[in-house]
């Protein structure tokens, strides 16, 4: 006879069997995950009821828990049920300092009932060798060894009366026991109680995240050890609570995403399931988001604002910054599970949707779980914690300090935002902490340890597309501000999502229109200002203009010159003590500044522009104009700043060819995926095209014209050359080598003339395409204005 494995609570339970009396029971043993996994939330033992005996065989009345908190198990001790025995041993283990689990049991051969249980120390036995998960024999997630062969245990067996009696008790452990202030971390003692659940639900409904909830619980219960569970347990409970709250509403979102994909095969979405086969995370990326990422995917913000204040829904968009400095969408996630594994899945799936090209930098909330996931998926991407989220967290963690010392917050902002070097920040931070006697404050110690991920002086060498260190960028604000709030339901969200996309698009079209159709007011006679006005978008030009005008108040003094590089000390007039170091390579017209504004924002600082003015550099070198900030940032055709060099720029034409091929290929993919038959035809055509491209690559890409058709490899196809001569130029074929050489030379000259004409045509085509782009923008603005007028 076979029996189902027994499970108690949420524990994973292992059974061994020990013989009992005349009923030769069935020994059953099940493997147990012996890792002390933080992802599992143990339900605990809510109602321990047991009886006791004063000595072996001398039965007493029911034992009432709590009368003797120091009671120790002993042989012959009697319990009302096996659950009561388990609860008592676990309570004893909490006092002593170890974790328990069910190890071995025995079932009756007569009726299959449990007749004996063994409760052991969690460190009992040794870990079994498991199959390796990779080809090289390494385990995917290596974990610390937790079992050391401890013999401590409690064995109970059932009596004819129905009560359970201790038949064996081993007290001694072969390892160190856990002190009382750490015992709450042990697996069998972690339990989210009813009152704690109620408080978590209330705080979660108010938009407070796991870290904030744990802080509130610590205050409520008088310490972390009194709570009875960890932050990870809190996260898992919040996840299950979300699943219960959302219920079937998630199907509304899934139906919406399926309909979008049915209308456009390029629409991407994916769903992650958890270990309970419940929906855990949804990710979707529309075609426009993927296109935006190709233009502006150098820096990304993963916005989890919903966890900290405003959103009821667990909704997190991936956003960036477009050429107008406006937020642009790169994808959206709907999060139910906030575990590290869930974030890793999310980031990996999003990266696959973006063709596997990671961003240069990414900004997130200050969260250790998100940091671990980003380190795993984006090892080469610079990860920054949002400074403004940390400042907000400061108001919660240091409320007592802020109420007592009104100058602390502005002093903190000055220390973080206005220091110009790492040395200056370190000195200022030390003075600030000592001045307010906060050297031992745990939260301040933690954020100081993470300073290289949020303090500007540590991040200025990386591009984040921000124009100002001290002012909050629009890109940090949520893309969906004004459309989703704390009262937004999932049904309303789907509609508001579409409205937000339309509104953002209208704002971008309006910014494009203003850039093209309104001329900025120039403030200097500088040719560089006029050049920038014709290249940058309006908003970026205003920023550049501010930097350029400020150079009139700056002085640059040469302090060193070494070969091709001169070093300047640049300072504002009257503020010589606050200077910046600019190194200028006059041969390459390249400069670097100690403020690192160009590296951080992609816009040249006033200090470098001051040196350019001193060196009479009248126009901005092309390598200081980032395409992502120009008015043609999203154009498939590159309109380079150096129009006079257009015909000679091999790199520019390479980019043009690349973009044209890419656009045609994307169209081909969309059409080719429409049905199975069309897909098969498309694959066949692609294979044929691949063979032709490969042959052309091997032959150096040489072409001749024969009967109006391009033929490959002039030197390998003499027949094609002869046909070309016969049909186009009426040239008599000659068998002599001299005649062939003269024919080839003549054709080569004609080919060169044709190439020059093509370059001229291409130049004209670029101008025409530019006009078309501008006309498209004007028409888009007019259409949007008409729509708005109709709504009014």
């Amino acid at each position: 006879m076979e029996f189902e494995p027994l499970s108690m609570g949420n524990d994973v339970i292992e059974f061994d069997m020990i013989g009992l009396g005349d009923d030769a029971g069935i020994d059953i043993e099940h493997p147990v995950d012996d890792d002390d996994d933080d992802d599992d939330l143990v339900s605990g033992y809510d109602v321990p009821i047991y009886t006791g005996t004063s000595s072996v065989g001398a039965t007493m009345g029911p034992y009432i828990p709590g009368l003797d908190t120091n009671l120790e198990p002993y042989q012959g001790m009697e319990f009302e049920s096996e659950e009561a025995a388990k609860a008592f041993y676990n309570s004893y283990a909490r006092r002593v300092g170890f974790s328990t689990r069910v190890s071995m049991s025995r079932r009756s051969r007569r009726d299959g009932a449990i007749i004996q249980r063994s409760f052991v120390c969690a460190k009992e036995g040794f870990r079994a060798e498991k199959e390796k998960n990779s080809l090289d024999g390494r385990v995917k997630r290596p974990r610390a060894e937790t079992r050391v062969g401890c013999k401590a245990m409690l064995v109970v067996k059932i009596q004819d009366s129905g009560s359970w009696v201790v038949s064996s008790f081993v007290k001694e452990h072969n390892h160190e026991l856990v002190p009382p202030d750490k015992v709450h971390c042990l697996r069998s003692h972690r339990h989210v109680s009813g009152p704690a659940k109620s408080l978590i639900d209330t705080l979660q409904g108010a938009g407070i995240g796991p870290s904030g909830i744990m802080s509130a619980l610590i205050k409520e219960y008088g310490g972390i050890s009194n709570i009875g569970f960890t932050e990870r347990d809190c996260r898992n409970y919040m996840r299950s609570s979300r699943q219960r709250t959302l219920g079937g509403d998630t199907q509304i979102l899934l139906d919406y995403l399926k309909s979008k994909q049915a209308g456009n095969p390029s629409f991407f979405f994916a769903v992650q399931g958890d270990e309970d086969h419940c929906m855990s995370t949804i990710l979707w990326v529309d075609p426009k988001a993927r296109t935006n990422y190709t233009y502006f995917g150098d820096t990304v913000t993963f916005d989890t604002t919903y966890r900290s204040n405003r959103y009821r829904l667990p909704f997190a968009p991936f956003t960036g910054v477009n050429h107008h400095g406006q937020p642009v969408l790169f994808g959206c996630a709907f999060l139910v599970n906030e575990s590290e594994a869930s974030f890793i899945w999310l980031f990996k799936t999003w990266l696959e949707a973006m063709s596997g090209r990671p961003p240069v930098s990414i900004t997130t909330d200050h969260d250790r779980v998100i940091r671990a996931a980003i380190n795993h998926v984006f090892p080469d991407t610079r990860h920054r914690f949002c400074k403004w989220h940390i400042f907000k967290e400061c108001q919660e963690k240091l409320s007592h300090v802020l109420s007592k010392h009104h100058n602390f917050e502005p002093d903190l902002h000055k220390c973080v935002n206005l220091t110009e070097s790492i040395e200056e920040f370190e000195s200022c931070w030390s003075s600030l902490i000592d001045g307010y006697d906060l050297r031992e404050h745990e939260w301040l110690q933690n954020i100081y340890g993470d300073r290289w991920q949020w303090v500007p002086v540590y991040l200025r060498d990386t591009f984040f597309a921000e124009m100002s260190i001290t002012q909050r960028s629009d890109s940090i604000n949520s893309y969906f501000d004004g459309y989703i709030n704390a009262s937004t339901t999932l049904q309303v969200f789907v509609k508001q999502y579409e409205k937000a996309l339309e509104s953002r698009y209208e704002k971008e079209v309006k910014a494009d229109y203003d850039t093209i159709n309104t001329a900025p007011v120039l403030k200097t006679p500088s040719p560089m200002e006029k050049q920038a006005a014709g290249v940058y978008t309006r908003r970026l030009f205003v920023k550049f203009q501010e930097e350029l005008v400020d150079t009139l108040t700056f002085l640059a003094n040469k302090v060193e010159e070494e070969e091709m590089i001169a070093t300047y000390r640049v300072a504002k007039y009257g503020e010589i003590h606050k200077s910046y170091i600019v190194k200028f390579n006059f041969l390459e017209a390249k400069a670097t500044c100690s403020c690192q504004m160009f590296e951080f924002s992609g816009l040249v600082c006033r200090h470098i522009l001051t040196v350019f003015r001193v060196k009479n550099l009248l126009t901005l070198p092309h390598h200081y104009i980032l395409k992502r900030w120009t008015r043609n940032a999203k154009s498939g055709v590159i309109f380079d700043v150096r129009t006079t060099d257009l015909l000679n720029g091999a790199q520019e034409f390479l980019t043009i060819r690349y973009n044209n091929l890419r656009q045609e290929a994307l169209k081909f993919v969309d059409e080719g995926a429409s049905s199975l038959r069309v897909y098969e035809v498309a694959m066949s055509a692609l294979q044929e095209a691949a063979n032709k491209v490969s042959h052309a690559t091997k032959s150096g890409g040489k072409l001749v014209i024969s009967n109006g058709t391009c033929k490959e490899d002039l030197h390998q196809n003499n027949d094609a050359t002869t046909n070309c001569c016969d049909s186009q130029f009426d040239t008599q074929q000659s068998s002599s080598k001299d005649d062939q050489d003269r024919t080839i030379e003549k054709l080569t000259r004609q080919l060169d003339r044709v190439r020059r004409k093509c370059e001229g045509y291409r130049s004209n085509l670029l101008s025409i395409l530019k006009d078309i782009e501008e006309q498209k923008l004007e028409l888009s603005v007019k259409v949007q204005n008409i729509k708005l007028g109709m709504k009014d």
Side-chain angles (χ1 to χ4, degrees):
M1 180 182 294
E2 295 182 358
F3 299 93
E4 292 295 326
L6 190 65
S7 175
M8 295 185 64
N10 292 334
D11 288 330
V12 180
I13 301 177
E14 175 183 277
F15 300 98
D16 296 332
M17 299 297 146
I18 299 177
L20 179 64
D22 296 331
D23 186 359
I26 302 172
D27 293 348
I28 306 173
E29 184 171 354
H30 298 275
V32 66
D33 180 5
D34 55 7
D35 296 315
D36 192 8
D37 192 341
D38 284 343
D39 288 342
D40 293 327
L41 175 60
V42 178
S43 61
Y45 314 95
D46 293 331
V47 190
I49 304 173
Y50 41 91
T51 61
T53 58
S54 59
S55 62
V56 179
T59 304
M60 296 174 60
Y63 177 81
I64 301 175
L67 291 182
D68 185 359
T69 57
N70 294 319
L71 187 63
E72 191 173 275
Y74 54 85
Q75 191 169 348
M77 190 174 190
E78 187 175 345
F79 298 92
E80 188 176 275
S81 65
E82 61 172 295
E83 289 81 7
K86 178 182 178 183
F88 173 80
Y89 190 57
N90 195 63
S91 176
Y92 162 75
R94 183 181 180 91
R95 278 199 324 272
V96 175
F98 67 96
S99 182
T100 67
R101 60 182 172 84
V102 179
S103 174
M104 307 173 77
S105 299
R106 185 169 194 178
R107 290 183 183 273
S108 169
R109 288 185 179 274
R110 289 193 295 266
D111 57 9
I114 297 295
I115 56 178
Q116 183 169 302
R117 285 280 197 208
S118 295
F119 307 111
V120 300
C121 173
K123 292 182 178 291
E124 179 269 346
F126 297 94
R127 177 179 298 172
E129 284 293 325
K130 299 180 181 179
E131 281 189 40
K132 306 298 182 182
N133 294 325
S134 56
L135 296 176
D136 58 2
R138 291 181 298 178
V139 181
K140 280 186 178 180
R141 291 183 62 190
R143 302 191 183 191
E145 182 63 64
T146 57
R147 294 196 181 189
V148 295
C150 182
K151 301 295 185 181
M153 66 185 302
L154 180 78
V155 181
V156 294
K157 58 185 179 181
I158 195 168
Q159 303 296 300
D160 293 338
S161 64
S163 62
W164 291 72
V165 174
V166 175
S167 62
S168 177
F169 170 59
V170 179
K171 178 180 178 180
E172 293 74 20
H173 297 262
N174 67 348
H175 55 88
E176 291 185 5
L177 299 175
V178 176
D181 62 334
K182 301 291 191 302
V183 75
H184 67 281
C185 297
L186 294 174
R187 185 173 184 176
S188 69
H189 306 310
R190 286 159 40 197
H191 167 57
V192 181
S193 65
K197 289 178 180 178
S198 299
L199 183 55
I200 292 173
D201 290 339
T202 301
L203 296 176
Q204 184 180 11
I208 300 176
S211 298
I213 290 176
M214 286 301 293
S215 297
L217 287 168
I218 290 171
K219 291 180 181 178
E220 179 70 18
Y221 285 87
I224 184 69
S225 61
N226 298 327
I227 296 176
F229 54 89
T230 64
E231 183 175 331
R232 178 54 57 86
D233 297 331
C234 178
R235 289 177 184 271
N236 288 341
Y237 174 75
M238 292 171 67
R239 178 196 66 179
S240 61
S241 178
R242 280 201 197 101
Q243 289 174 336
R244 292 191 302 271
T245 301
L246 293 171
D249 288 351
T250 54
Q251 191 60 43
I252 297 173
L253 178 60
L254 290 174
D255 291 343
Y256 167 76
L257 297 178
K258 289 176 183 177
S259 67
K260 297 293 288 186
Q261 189 177 65
N264 188 342
S266 296
F267 187 95
F268 174 91
F269 83 94
V271 181
Q272 179 200 27
D274 61 13
E275 63 275 7
D276 300 321
H277 305 289
C278 297
M279 186 199 72
S280 179
T281 300
I282 303 177
L283 169 71
W284 68 95
V285 182
D286 63 37
K288 186 173 179 61
R290 299 168 86 172
T291 302
N292 285 336
Y293 187 77
T294 63
Y295 299 124
F296 310 115
D298 39 19
T299 185
V300 173
T301 296
F302 180 58
D303 183 4
T304 52
T305 307
Y306 76 88
R307 303 195 311 172
S308 59
N309 51 9
R310 281 169 281 184
Y311 298 169
R312 171 184 174 185
L313 298 173
F315 172 68
F318 291 88
T319 60
V321 187
N322 68 8
H323 49 324
H324 299 292
Q326 300 168 329
V328 61
L329 192 64
F330 294 149
C332 299
F334 191 83
L335 299 170
V336 177
N337 186 351
E338 294 184 9
S339 67
E340 180 181 333
S342 185
F343 280 119
I344 288 176
W345 176 89
L346 172 63
F347 294 144
K348 280 186 175 180
T349 309
W350 178 79
L351 189 60
E352 290 173 7
M354 296 306 185
S355 304
R357 184 168 67 91
V360 173
S361 60
I362 186 168
T363 302
T364 72
D365 197 359
H366 183 218
D367 186 281
R368 62 179 181 82
V369 176
I370 294 178
R371 173 167 60 186
I374 285 177
N375 289 341
H376 183 87
V377 181
F378 305 112
D380 299 322
T381 296
R382 189 71 178 274
H383 180 204
R384 176 179 69 165
F385 293 135
C386 178
K387 176 180 60 178
W388 305 105
H389 288 170
I390 290 180
F391 283 153
K392 182 174 182 179
E393 197 176 356
C394 172
Q395 295 174 350
E396 300 172 2
K397 302 291 185 180
L398 298 171
S399 57
H400 62 290
V401 178
L402 298 178
S403 61
K404 184 178 179 181
H405 303 286
H406 300 294
N407 290 329
F408 176 79
E409 191 170 16
D411 288 346
L412 177 63
H413 280 253
K414 289 178 183 177
C415 177
V416 172
N417 291 325
L418 301 183
T419 49
E420 297 287 346
S421 66
I422 293 176
E423 293 76 15
E424 185 182 355
F425 167 77
E426 294 287 352
S427 175
C428 183
W429 180 270
S430 182
S431 300
L432 177 73
I433 299 304
D434 290 337
Y436 289 95
D437 194 23
L438 296 171
R439 180 67 64 178
E440 303 302 321
H441 194 280
E442 184 179 359
W443 181 79
L444 284 173
Q445 289 177 347
N446 289 338
I447 63 167
Y448 175 74
D450 294 335
R451 61 194 180 282
W452 58 278
Q453 284 188 276
W454 67 278
V455 178
V457 292
Y458 293 94
L459 297 163
R460 286 177 181 162
D461 60 345
T462 304
F463 182 75
F464 284 97
E466 285 191 24
M467 297 296 104
S468 172
I469 297 293
T470 57
Q471 295 180 356
R472 180 168 181 155
S473 169
D474 286 346
S475 64
I476 300 298
N477 294 324
S478 173
Y479 184 92
F480 293 91
D481 273 356
Y483 295 91
I484 302 174
N485 54 44
S487 63
T488 304
T489 62
L490 197 53
Q491 296 94 323
V492 175
F493 165 78
V494 173
K495 298 177 181 179
Q496 293 296 95
Y497 171 80
E498 291 282 356
K499 290 182 179 180
L501 294 185
E502 183 179 352
S503 173
R504 290 294 182 184
Y505 176 70
E506 289 177 357
K507 290 178 180 178
E508 183 176 335
V509 170
K510 179 66 166 60
D512 283 335
Y513 180 82
D514 290 343
T515 295
I516 293 172
N517 294 283
T518 58
V521 177
L522 303 183
K523 298 182 179 180
T524 73
S526 168
M528 189 179 292
E529 185 184 13
K530 184 177 181 181
Q531 173 199 18
V535 174
Y536 287 125
T537 59
R538 176 55 46 81
R539 183 172 181 183
L540 268 294
F541 170 71
V542 170
K543 294 290 185 182
F544 175 83
Q545 189 180 53
E546 291 174 0
E547 297 297 318
L548 184 66
V549 171
D550 272 353
T551 63
L552 301 176
T553 63
F554 276 75
L555 302 173
N557 296 313
K558 187 188 295 184
V559 295
E560 185 181 351
E561 187 166 0
E562 190 175 306
E563 294 182 355
M564 301 296 179
I565 299 176
T567 302
Y568 291 84
R569 179 174 282 109
V570 181
K572 195 170 186 178
Y573 181 77
E575 298 180 6
I576 305 300
H577 61 284
K578 191 176 181 180
S579 61
Y580 301 84
I581 300 300
V582 176
K583 294 186 177 183
F584 177 62
N585 185 323
F586 53 84
L587 187 63
E588 298 178 357
K590 290 184 178 180
T592 59
C593 180
S594 58
C595 78
Q596 296 182 306
M597 177 177 167
F598 180 73
E599 290 82 357
F600 187 76
S601 67
L603 210 60
V604 184
C605 66
R606 61 195 65 183
H607 317 118
I608 291 178
L609 292 175
T610 299
V611 173
F612 285 172
R613 177 170 55 80
V614 169
K615 299 297 295 182
N616 292 321
L617 198 61
L618 300 181
T619 58
L620 197 61
H622 67 90
H623 43 262
Y624 285 111
I625 301 177
L626 295 191
K627 179 178 179 289
R628 61 125 44 241
W629 290 136
T630 67
R631 57 178 62 197
N632 298 307
K634 296 180 68 174
S635 173
V637 178
I638 307 301
F639 304 110
D640 195 84
V641 179
R642 302 159 294 158
T643 54
T644 55
D645 297 334
L646 185 59
L647 298 180
N648 298 323
Q651 182 61 41
E652 286 79 1
F653 288 122
L654 174 63
T655 306
I656 293 171
R657 293 194 296 271
Y658 173 83
N659 279 286
N660 289 339
L661 282 172
R662 180 180 173 279
Q663 287 180 338
E664 291 302 316
L666 287 175
K667 294 177 184 177
F668 189 71
V669 168
D670 289 341
E671 295 173 1
S674 59
S675 70
L676 179 60
R677 179 175 177 77
V678 176
Y679 168 77
E680 291 173 350
V681 173
M683 289 299 294
S684 176
L686 281 174
Q687 187 59 50
E688 182 181 353
N691 293 335
K692 289 184 177 181
V693 171
S694 176
H695 185 63
T697 303
K698 292 177 182 178
S699 64
K702 295 172 180 151
L703 302 172
V704 297
I705 305 299
S706 175
N707 295 325
T709 305
C710 288
K711 299 287 184 180
E712 301 164 317
D713 197 352
L714 176 64
H715 299 292
Q716 294 183 6
N717 196 338
N718 290 328
D719 291 338
T721 303
T722 304
N723 289 336
C724 180
C725 296
D726 289 341
S727 61
Q728 300 241 356
F729 308 105
D730 295 324
T731 302
Q732 296 296 326
Q733 183 177 2
S734 173
S735 59
S736 67
K737 188 175 184 303
D738 292 340
D739 289 344
Q740 289 181 0
D741 289 342
R742 283 194 296 271
T743 302
I744 291 173
E745 185 179 353
K746 181 179 179 181
L747 290 173
T748 302
R749 288 196 300 270
Q750 291 179 351
L751 183 59
D752 288 339
R753 286 195 295 271
V754 171
R755 282 177 176 168
R756 286 194 294 272
K757 287 182 180 180
C758 285
E759 297 296 346
Y761 294 150
R762 187 175 290 160
S763 178
N764 293 334
L765 178 60
L766 293 176
S767 178
I768 293 171
L769 289 174
K770 183 176 181 180
D771 291 340
I772 291 174
E773 291 283 339
E774 293 178 353
Q775 291 175 14
K776 284 170 59 180
L777 290 173
E778 291 178 8
L779 288 173
S780 297
V781 173
K782 290 179 180 178
V783 169
Q784 294 301 324
N785 289 336
I786 292 172
K787 287 183 178 180
L788 292 174
M790 292 175 66
K791 290 179 181 179
D792 295 338

